[in-house]
Amino acid sequence: GGSGRGRRMATAFSMAPPPDMALETPAGSLAEMSEAEVAAAVSRIKAGFLRFFVSMMVRYQELLIVPSSTIKQPAAVDFFDERRWIARFGSESREWLPRFFR
């Protein structure tokens, strides 16, 4: 079921806590935070970016392609089916996803 998958995904990202996990949020601006609070906030931001990009590329192996032998010097995009990858996401994301490859 969906909850089992969610638990597996949560353990797969030990560096990035699940988005629904309650995190302590320090009050005030960065200037008002202690060095330890700033370090913890930076770690949470990094973890969020990691989780986001890893989730975008889940099962990327399914989209790898072998370029034609007629291509003398294939570029990295020749090995990845960008159109199928973009089709995995909702229509609201399709405008900016092609920029991910450029």
Side-chain angles (χ1 to χ4, degrees), residues 3-18 51:
S3 63
R5 182 174 180 229
R7 281 193 299 272
R8 286 193 309 274
M9 288 178 70
T11 60
F13 302 104
S14 60
M15 292 178 59
R51 176 173 287 285

Side-chain angles (χ1 to χ4, degrees), residues 20-83:
D20 58 347
M21 183 177 167
L23 298 173
E24 292 181 28
T25 53
S29 69
L30 284 175
E32 299 169 327
M33 296 167 69
S34 71
E35 198 171 310
E37 289 171 325
V38 170
V42 168
S43 291
R44 286 193 300 273
I45 291 167
K46 286 180 179 180
F49 273 94
L50 174 66
R51 176 173 287 285
F52 174 74
F53 284 107
V54 168
S55 70
M56 286 180 62
M57 297 308 294
V58 69
R59 297 187 328 269
Y60 75 93
Q61 303 93 325
E62 297 170 4
L63 302 171
L64 294 178
I65 55 177
V66 177
S68 167
S69 61
T70 61
I71 298 175
K72 299 288 186 216
Q73 294 180 328
V77 294
D78 294 323
F79 294 97
F80 192 76
D81 191 339
E82 180 182 345
R83 284 189 297 257

